[in-house]
Amino acid sequence: MERQSTYTATATIDEQGILTSWSEGARRLLGYEDAAVVGRPAAALLAAADGPAVRHALAGHDRWHGTVALRHRDGRRLEQGLLAHRRTRRAGESGWLVVTAVADRPQPPRGEPLEEWTFIQSPFPLAIFDTELRLMRANRRLERALSLPEAAMRGLRLTHIAPGPARDEAERTMRQVLETGEPREVRAVLGPDLDRPTVLTPLKDGTGAVRAVCLATQRHAPGPALRQHAPDETAAHDPIAPGLERTARELADAAVPRLADFTAVDLFDSPPTPGGPQEASGAGARRAVLRRAAVRAESDDGGPPAGPGVGGTVAYEPGTAPAESLATGRSVLRDSPDPVGPGWAAADPGAARPGPSGTHSLIAVPLLAEGSTLGVALFGRDRRREPFGPQDLLLAEELAARAATGLHNERRYARPHPAATAAQRGLLPHAPPGQDALDIAGRRLPAGARAGAGGDWFDVIPLSGARVALVAGHVVGHGARASAATGRLRTAVRTLADVDLPADELLTHLDDLVLRLAADEGADPAAEAVGGIGTTCLYAVYDPVSRHCALARAGHPPPAVVTPDGAVRLLDVPAGPALGLGGRLPFEALETELPEGSLLVLYTDGLLEPHDPDADEALDPLFGALGRPAPTLDALCDRVLTELTTRRPDDDAALLVARTRALSADRVASWELTSDPTVVARARKHASDQLSAWGLEEAAFTTELVVSELVTNAIRHGRPPVRLRLIHQDPTLICEVYDASGSTPHMRRARIYDEGGRGLLLVAQLSERWGTRHDRVGKTVWAEQSLSAD
């Protein structure tokens, strides 16, 4: 194979068409030094006056490729193919990364016709990269999946063809394949249609030297041979714990060759709950997905047994012997040419068979311990001719029962404490609360099982006046102590939010609480780490009436905002200190207006840790994922986690995305009132007329009483100005009265002959809830009625 002398030229261009960077490869291609072109219009490098045509082609697209005529420094005209990717960076600026591969020699000749047809017409996306990790070949299936012709990709590295963190991981794995000569597997999402495992295979010459790497994405789960080389590359699971693997291996060693020709032990990552999806049976049954903990087989060649290696994933379809055993909790014995399940391997070739081909007799025994289904043990015969009998079944069940007891004990003492896990599940809202200000979606990605339960959390809290609070926080540490501290922190935030404190004041009170919690824990260094230094929080309050958002943060990453036009930026919320420093530095709030339909994105640092959170480039993958349209907020959350976490993170990660709504002006009515007792009747009239306009006449009597009492109190005990506001947010009606006094009204019980003192008691009886909200100057007393109750 003839080697090419190939280099890559790159440049970046902002949205105004100005060059912002110029690589050495670009200088080599066109002869210009970077000082001569950076800061100048990129159109000046075109040989023809087709700059407007190029800008028109780029408009409205995230990627473009084509051939353009470039002008060399010496005046020569160069026809060059370019590939351009739109990128959105930290401050919200967007621009273009332009790349091209320049080959000094022609493309090497194609192979034999049959080999060429096989490569081009394969139903699986295929690509070949040389030892410099530059693309040499791409088949038609990959071209369609990426919507790029081979000519546009040839000579480029994967990170230039499809930029993103998953591609960086794939390229690092390709280097390992070149160095070790062994195939590897990686989860590299190359495109919308390529979210599946990717196999990287070394291509060797007659001497065994690695000359290239073949990239192939699969339709289904990866094949068994590659699972044995890369059991720990699966992004969605943790490696099998050593104790579990040892116990499973002892079961396999005891059964082969005494009982079976091969034995496999497959375990759930966590035991399914009774009646859960993995225990379903019948028409609605779902596949059972487990991890291989041990496998042993008697083979003629002495090689490894067929099927996935230890740590590999196995998926059993409904109707197969293992799936039936797991669903019913009973052993299954099958004797047939295909005991695993009629036609199963043919229908799902990606799911590995549990044993060597030719198996004619199979026993599947569920691994049960103390009411939990831990997994399944498979015993098969393919070498000896006699099938399993009743005595064999009894022996298999006895071996499985003993192993299940050992596995249960290993998992019981190795897994995080159930109390910590239960507390961790309680850190997130089980369902979005009833409110109309925001559309909400969130995800929480726990760290690997060895780390234990952690303390990343978020919350959504409805407030008075149709407002909603969004919270995200992080408590350092893992295990029961971290979960307990996080639970106390979340409860404290909800309590302070009910008092309607401004964002910065809420964090000040929370800081005091964290100090007290640390002091209560005593001098234990671990307790101090959990309850004090390192605890972060971001608190935001959105008002759908004014579309204003107030935010403050304590050592937490700043939130991102995606405006309706797709621009992504970070909100410049003042960086307050982490909680637990004792008020040495103040917390400051930022108030900003968010257009209706904006996305407010809160996250924890665990989402960025794999990408170096201190570097500006760490936010590029996040901005890129947020900047592209998504059909739903849930789909957007899934995309962010997929593109930012190519493996299970070492720390917890939480993500909360909220789309803002605005309450239309015809749902809000307000009036300025004079500080005169005679104005109370006029306030009642305002309220009655407005309810008639809203078609809420049935609520008029109750609302007039509430308005009368609140306005009277504001005039008697408060200071002008006095304002009345009604908010109709179906199914509630909110009545608010503002005055400039900072005093807080209190409900008291009047004596028999008292002429007053019953106002707030009456308001409390007529309303679903009521309270006082303090502003920077003055206060607002509010009462909320349920229209459905009326």
Side-chain angles (χ1 to χ4, degrees):
M1 183 180 295
E2 182 183 1
R3 290 183 56 83
Q4 292 179 270
S5 175
T6 304
Y7 63 91
T8 303
T10 64
T12 57
I13 306 171
D14 65 17
E15 290 289 1
Q16 286 70 46
I18 304 300
L19 280 162
T20 55
S21 70
W22 189 254
S23 71
E24 171 61 24
R27 183 205 62 78
R28 182 176 172 184
L29 174 65
L30 295 182
Y32 297 98
E33 299 293 338
D34 57 353
V37 292
V38 173
R40 299 188 178 184
L45 299 177
L46 300 177
D50 54 359
V54 174
R55 285 196 296 271
H56 177 74
L58 296 177
H61 296 84
D62 289 332
R63 188 180 65 193
W64 176 86
H65 66 89
T67 301
V68 297
L70 302 176
R71 188 181 69 247
H72 193 275
R73 183 167 177 257
D74 60 12
R76 285 183 290 128
R77 176 189 175 98
L78 298 177
E79 297 284 343
Q80 190 69 33
L82 301 180
L83 176 62
H85 300 277
R86 183 187 294 275
R87 302 195 307 173
T88 303
R89 302 187 64 83
R90 175 172 185 172
E93 306 105 354
S94 60
W96 292 87
L97 168 67
V98 183
V99 298
T100 183
V102 186
D104 291 345
R105 298 180 184 178
Q107 179 77 359
R110 304 296 191 185
E112 295 296 327
L114 183 59
E115 298 172 357
E116 186 69 12
W117 296 339
T118 302
F119 179 83
I120 292 177
Q121 300 177 31
S122 170
F124 302 99
L126 299 174
I128 297 177
F129 293 82
D130 63 17
T131 54
E132 295 180 354
L133 303 185
R134 300 180 184 277
L135 186 136
M136 302 169 61
R137 298 293 311 279
N139 72 345
R140 293 171 182 169
R141 183 66 181 82
L142 185 65
E143 288 180 316
R144 289 196 299 269
L146 295 180
S147 299
L148 282 174
E150 182 189 76
M153 299 183 283
R154 189 181 303 129
L156 295 177
R157 290 166 47 183
L158 186 60
T159 51
H160 285 146
I161 296 171
R167 274 65 81 191
D168 296 339
E169 177 69 18
E171 190 164 279
R172 285 192 294 269
T173 307
M174 273 198 277
R175 294 189 186 278
Q176 296 174 5
V177 172
L178 288 173
E179 294 169 359
T180 64
E182 297 290 342
R184 299 274 177 157
E185 178 190 323
V186 67
R187 189 81 176 187
V189 185
L190 304 182
D193 191 35
L194 296 177
D195 183 5
R196 50 179 81 110
T198 299
V199 177
L200 302 170
T201 306
L203 302 181
K204 303 177 182 180
D205 61 14
T207 65
V210 179
R211 297 297 187 183
V213 176
C214 177
L215 179 151
T217 63
Q218 304 183 42
R219 290 183 182 271
H220 304 284
L226 286 161
R227 285 286 189 187
Q228 297 169 6
H229 291 287
D232 296 333
E233 296 283 336
T234 306
H237 305 280
D238 297 314
I240 296 293
L244 297 176
E245 183 179 338
R246 181 177 60 252
T247 304
R249 188 172 61 249
E250 291 173 356
L251 169 60
D253 292 341
V256 178
R258 176 186 175 190
L259 171 65
D261 296 328
F262 81 91
T263 297
V265 182
D266 301 327
L267 303 177
F268 289 115
D269 280 352
S270 60
T273 57
Q278 288 169 317
E279 291 186 282
S281 60
R286 298 171 58 183
R287 61 163 48 182
V289 181
L290 302 91
R291 302 289 303 286
R292 181 133 295 175
V295 59
R296 179 173 175 183
E298 289 284 295
S299 58
D300 294 327
D301 57 3
V310 174
T313 300
V314 287
Y316 295 118
E317 299 290 339
T320 62
E324 181 181 343
S325 175
L326 291 169
T328 63
R330 296 190 297 270
S331 301
V332 175
L333 191 159
R334 288 186 180 176
D335 296 317
S336 68
D338 185 11
V340 178
W344 172 59
D348 190 7
R353 295 177 65 88
S357 59
T359 299
H360 61 83
S361 189
L362 178 73
I363 293 176
V365 183
L367 298 171
L368 307 175
E370 295 189 12
S372 297
T373 303
L374 307 179
V376 63
L378 306 178
F379 308 86
R381 287 183 176 177
D382 61 341
R383 292 164 56 87
R384 65 188 84 181
R385 295 183 178 180
E386 65 275 12
F388 288 116
Q391 294 299 321
D392 298 321
L393 179 60
L394 291 176
L395 178 57
E397 290 176 338
E398 181 181 353
L399 292 174
R402 293 179 181 178
T405 301
L407 292 168
H408 176 74
N409 291 334
E410 286 289 342
R411 181 164 269 164
R412 179 180 180 183
Y413 295 109
R415 292 179 62 192
H417 195 278
T421 305
Q424 187 182 45
R425 287 196 299 266
L427 299 181
L428 301 182
H430 296 288
Q435 48 82 30
D436 293 328
L438 299 165
D439 294 323
I440 300 291
R443 295 290 185 274
R444 186 176 183 279
L445 184 64
R450 296 182 181 181
D456 283 25
W457 60 283
F458 61 78
D459 206 351
V460 181
I461 309 171
L463 301 176
S464 64
R467 298 168 306 134
V468 177
L470 303 177
V471 198
H474 166 75
V475 172
V476 295
H478 295 86
R481 188 187 298 273
S483 295
T486 306
R488 291 196 297 266
L489 194 68
R490 179 172 179 244
T491 302
V493 171
R494 280 186 161 263
T495 302
L496 294 171
D498 285 342
V499 184
D500 260 325
L501 292 176
D504 51 348
E505 292 185 22
L506 182 141
L507 291 182
T508 300
H509 287 277
L510 201 61
D511 182 52
D512 294 337
L513 174 68
V514 170
L515 280 175
R516 289 197 298 272
L517 290 177
D520 292 343
E521 293 285 356
D524 182 1
E528 185 176 350
V530 168
I533 304 301
T535 301
T536 69
C537 184
L538 171 66
Y539 186 77
V541 176
Y542 174 71
D543 186 347
V545 177
S546 64
R547 302 195 308 279
H548 281 195
C549 186
L551 310 96
R553 61 186 178 113
H556 203 83
V561 167
V562 184
T563 53
D565 61 0
V568 187
R569 61 186 174 91
L570 288 181
L571 285 180
D572 190 18
V573 183
L579 300 175
L581 295 181
R584 299 175 187 174
L585 294 172
F587 298 104
E588 299 180 48
L590 168 73
E591 293 197 11
T592 185
E593 183 174 336
L594 298 177
E596 183 177 8
S598 299
L599 297 183
L600 184 61
V601 183
L602 282 62
Y603 54 91
T604 59
D605 56 4
L607 199 64
L608 301 180
E609 277 184 356
H611 308 279
D612 184 9
D614 295 328
D616 289 350
E617 289 76 9
L619 290 168
D620 286 350
L622 175 63
F623 279 26
L626 293 175
R628 303 197 304 275
T632 64
L633 294 185
D634 286 314
L636 180 61
C637 290
D638 292 338
R639 177 201 296 164
V640 170
L641 292 185
T642 298
E643 297 193 6
L644 267 69
T645 56
T646 56
R647 59 178 177 81
R648 183 68 68 88
D650 297 327
D651 198 3
D652 294 356
L655 173 69
L656 178 64
V657 179
R659 178 182 287 115
T660 62
R661 296 179 180 176
L663 202 61
S664 60
D666 60 357
R667 293 301 185 103
V668 182
S670 60
W671 301 270
E672 294 283 344
L673 305 177
T674 59
S675 186
D676 184 343
T678 61
V679 82
V680 176
R682 192 179 314 139
R684 289 198 300 266
K685 182 67 165 55
H686 288 323
S688 177
D689 292 345
Q690 187 60 55
L691 292 184
S692 297
W694 284 337
L696 303 176
E697 292 85 353
E698 294 183 0
F701 178 75
T702 301
T703 305
E704 287 185 37
L705 289 176
V706 171
V707 168
S708 179
E709 296 300 335
L710 295 185
V711 172
T712 299
N713 280 347
I715 293 174
R716 284 185 178 178
H717 307 293
R719 292 203 304 262
V722 177
R723 286 192 294 269
L724 169 65
R725 184 169 74 163
L726 296 180
I727 302 174
H728 178 204
Q729 185 186 33
D730 194 46
T732 61
L733 177 67
I734 303 169
C735 174
E736 297 182 341
V737 176
Y738 167 86
D739 73 86
S741 170
S743 61
T744 301
H746 295 283
M747 184 169 56
R748 64 183 179 88
R749 186 173 296 277
R751 292 185 293 273
I752 294 177
Y753 298 106
D754 287 349
E755 295 183 0
R758 300 177 179 84
L760 290 180
L761 180 62
L762 182 62
V763 170
Q765 296 300 317
L766 296 175
S767 306
E768 287 286 317
R769 58 191 189 117
W770 74 280
T772 303
R773 178 173 73 248
H774 287 272
D775 300 320
R776 298 295 180 186
V777 177
K779 67 178 182 298
T780 298
V781 184
W782 56 271
E784 184 176 301
Q785 303 173 55
S786 174
L787 298 177
S788 58
D790 291 337

